[in-house]
Amino acid sequence: MKMFDPHIHMTSRTTDDYAAMAEAGIAAIVEPAFWLGQPRTHAGSFEDYFNGLLGWERFRASQFGIRHFCTIALNPKEANDPRLSEEVIDMMPRYLQKEGVVAVGEIGYDDQTDSEEKLFERQMAMAMEYGLPVLIHTPHRDKKQGTVRSIDLVKSMGFPEERALIDHNTEETLPLVLDTGCWAGHSIYPNTKMDEERMARLVKQYGSERIIINSAADWGISDPLKVPKTVDKMREMGIPEVDIETIVWSNPATFFAQSGNLNLEDIETRPNINQTELFDGNSVLRGQTPIVES
Amino acid sequence: MKQHLHDLLRARAGGDALAWLEKALAATTPPVHHNTLLGYYSGASRRMGKRALNLSQQEQARGETLDAELALSHWGADEAARALLLLTLAEQLPPEEFAELARRCYELGDSREQESWLRGLGPLPDCARFLASAVDACRTNIIPVFEAIACENPYPLRVFPEANFNQLILKSLFNGIALERIVGLEARLNASLSRMSDDYVSEREAAGRTVPTDIWLVLAPHIAGEGLVRVHRYLSHEDPAHRYWAALGLGHHANGESREALRARAALEREPRVKAALDGALARMG
């Protein structure tokens, strides 16, 4: 089965991960801009990070036959640093108009501060201006309240609900999101957030409409194969193939296609791998024989 | 405090380390070369070592007259040296230049330097001006850095606004950090902290996961309705730790609604520690 991991931070992962993901059937991914585990102290660091998401990382993915898209934003954690925020917001329009940028994200709440809210709102407005969907991160702490506030902001701004993906849901937040027109993401993690079995139970209860799953794998303890592993669990628990395929392919593809930067026909076929290609003179190979498909 | 730290280090460090320390302190005389100072700030771990100060009774008594809530005994020699360096610098430099250089010590610091910086915040003059950095430190995923600001440190108690303080408590619960380690917790209990903790318990129960046993300490004091019923349920939980903390938390409950529940449990309780907590909670209610 062809799968889509719509939230994975590949800059923190290895080529072994890419190979295993491709082997397991992952054909397309979205890498949201987030933080790097410790706060950046200069706005210029964001410029290089965004360039990396659009450049080297997309190239690396292509070397394993995986289509790489990304989302661009000032994340909620770093939205609390006034030295960065204005400059990063200023540079965003440049990036939001680039190919392969399929949403504004991750935006939302972390500590639920005033400055997070201000920048959340401003970036939602930018998404409207540039015709992009939004990927909304919900906080670990005080999650339910953070989710309610996010939904309230979507509604009060008149943001088209079908263009908002609210991520990292749990048993308690999912029904709140499904009551709106927004899409509901779930991060399947080894320890926190959501696991395979709980996810399968939610699908049994709520069906597949507007439900999305991802690995959210990054530099922490996480697993880039959580989407295929959840597919296995859903099958084991008797969820129909058509629902599984909706959740791990059609839903994320349809959602991000609203950006105009992801063509549903193009992604049906896997790109040919040509490992003799170079990016700025760099190859992902270290002496191996390049794979060249035709 | 400056003199106290200096004396503690003099009583412990060897000749080379002390010579280095005096050189570092001399570098605080204006005009201060910032990169030199940043180098001394970093060098403290290698030069002074990281052994805990372990204060004698006499030293402890003197420390308590200066700041009873500062856990100096746990500080490493390097951390004391860093705090001393910043306190000396604060006397030498104009406030703005000092604040800028102090912030750079934090931003350019490795984990140990950041931990030292956070532990040493309280004694700095006008320490509230460093609130933004202290709150930023709470966003870290590096647990020892988080513990340096959250645990055995009076700074959050004294300076953090309620919203930031509540986030700090929630993050401690997330990371399995015992709430007993938060200085002055009782003084900072509040209604939204109770509400947030109650939502967290709901989330954990819905996910079929365990609930931190000490969460009742911050949850119970301002809870009503369903939430209060739940605390009463945990008062009879099979794990004595749940019973203990639920009793302690209910002792801080804003009104006496729980008196009956506490009495009923006290009549059945066999665990001495829990029994004492129940009796204590009832005594608080009068």
Side-chain angles (χ1 to χ4, degrees), chain A residues 35 39 77 80 83 110-111 113 140-145 170-172 191-193 195 198 219, chain B residues 104 107 135-136 138-142 164 167 170-171 174 195-196 199 202-203 206-209:
Chain A
W35 80 314
K77 276 184 182 264
N80 287 295
R83 293 172 308 175
D110 181 50
D111 277 351
T113 63
H140 301 255
R141 299 175 298 284
D142 209 5
K143 175 174 282 292
K144 196 165 159 193
Q145 170 98 341
T170 61
E171 285 82 356
E172 296 205 311
N191 297 311
T192 57
K193 294 183 182 173
D195 64 32
R198 285 165 57 203
W219 28 253
Chain B
R104 290 305 276 167
E107 287 170 358
V135 167
D136 189 59
C138 292
R139 297 193 180 94
T140 184
N141 285 348
I142 305 172
N164 303 113
Q167 286 288 336
L170 267 263
K171 184 153 178 161
F174 262 74
R195 198 273 306 151
M196 287 161 81
D199 280 358
S202 293
E203 181 185 321
R209 292 182 166 170

Side-chain angles (χ1 to χ4, degrees), chain A residues 1-290:
Chain A
M1 180 181 286
K2 206 155 68 278
M3 295 174 219
F4 196 129
D5 189 340
H7 186 148
I8 184 162
H9 301 283
M10 290 309 298
T11 47
S12 313
R13 311 297 313 190
T14 64
T15 49
D16 280 358
D17 290 334
Y18 268 126
M21 289 160 65
E23 172 74 26
I26 295 173
I29 55 180
V30 169
E31 174 154 12
F34 200 54
W35 80 314
L36 299 179
Q38 72 174 34
R40 282 162 278 214
T41 56
H42 304 280
S45 309
F46 280 82
E47 202 163 62
D48 290 323
Y49 174 63
F50 294 157
N51 290 338
L53 293 182
L54 289 153
W56 174 240
E57 207 51 53
R58 185 189 295 172
F59 172 77
R60 256 179 20 118
S62 75
Q63 296 298 285
F64 297 87
I66 294 177
R67 290 185 194 272
H68 180 282
F69 302 90
C70 71
T71 75
I72 295 287
L74 173 63
N75 63 77
K77 276 184 182 264
E78 286 166 305
N80 287 295
D81 187 341
R83 293 172 308 175
L84 300 175
S85 52
E86 283 307 313
E87 268 190 77
V88 176
I89 292 288
D90 270 355
M91 67 175 76
M92 277 183 50
R94 244 175 31 226
Y95 290 98
L96 297 184
Q97 299 175 74
K98 287 185 192 285
E99 277 188 334
V101 176
V102 291
V104 173
E106 300 176 57
I107 53 176
Y109 292 111
D110 181 50
D111 277 351
Q112 304 186 45
T113 63
D114 292 344
S115 80
E116 287 169 21
E117 176 154 291
K118 195 182 88 195
L119 288 155
F120 184 3
E121 194 172 346
R122 272 179 76 178
Q123 295 187 87
M124 294 265 284
M126 287 173 111
M128 287 164 103
E129 186 181 346
Y130 292 97
L132 289 171
V134 290
L135 172 60
I136 299 175
H137 162 95
T138 55
H140 301 255
R141 299 175 298 284
D142 209 5
K143 175 174 282 292
K144 196 165 159 193
Q145 170 98 341
T147 308
V148 170
R149 287 180 68 182
S150 302
I151 291 170
D152 288 349
L153 191 63
V154 169
K155 288 191 184 289
S156 72
M157 288 184 74
F159 192 90
E161 293 176 15
E162 71 283 3
R163 295 170 74 89
L165 167 51
I166 299 184
D167 213 347
H168 316 313
N169 282 287
T170 61
E171 285 82 356
E172 296 205 311
T173 59
L174 175 58
L176 305 175
V177 175
L178 289 180
D179 274 348
T180 69
C182 302
W183 299 65
H186 303 80
S187 297
I188 318 298
Y189 256 36
N191 297 311
T192 57
K193 294 183 182 173
M194 178 59 66
D195 64 32
E196 293 94 318
E197 190 169 335
R198 285 165 57 203
M199 189 63 230
R201 281 203 298 271
L202 287 175
V203 173
K204 283 202 145 183
Q205 187 176 352
Y206 295 99
S208 59
E209 193 190 329
R210 284 182 288 129
I211 301 262
I212 286 175
I213 64 171
N214 60 67
S215 71
D218 57 12
W219 28 253
I221 296 173
S222 48
D223 178 354
L225 299 180
K226 278 297 187 192
V227 170
K229 285 177 183 173
T230 307
V231 166
D232 291 345
K233 181 55 79 176
M234 288 194 284
R235 275 194 189 126
E236 188 189 312
M237 289 175 64
I239 292 164
E241 271 318 90
V242 57
D243 284 321
I244 297 177
E245 189 157 18
T246 301
I247 290 167
V248 301
W249 186 260
S250 326
N251 279 354
T254 307
F255 176 78
F256 287 111
Q258 298 180 95
S259 66
N261 265 333
L262 180 156
N263 183 301
L264 288 173
E265 276 172 35
D266 286 352
I267 64 166
E268 282 304 320
T269 53
R270 200 188 62 144
N272 286 334
I273 296 173
N274 180 357
Q275 293 190 338
T276 61
E277 285 178 7
L278 298 177
F279 180 81
D280 276 1
N282 287 313
S283 163
V284 294
L285 300 177
R286 293 291 180 271
Q288 300 87 339
T289 308

Side-chain angles (χ1 to χ4, degrees), chain B residues 45-84:
Chain B
S45 293
R46 283 170 61 185
R47 300 298 190 143
M48 304 300 295
K50 300 183 192 175
R51 183 173 298 179
L53 293 178
N54 279 328
L55 270 54
S56 69
Q57 264 184 349
Q58 201 181 359
E59 289 170 334
Q60 187 74 37
R62 182 177 172 210
E64 277 172 18
T65 62
L66 298 164
D67 187 338
E69 289 166 318
L70 219 53
L72 283 183
S73 227
H74 297 294
W75 288 21
D78 55 341
E79 299 185 295
R82 289 194 178 110
L84 173 59

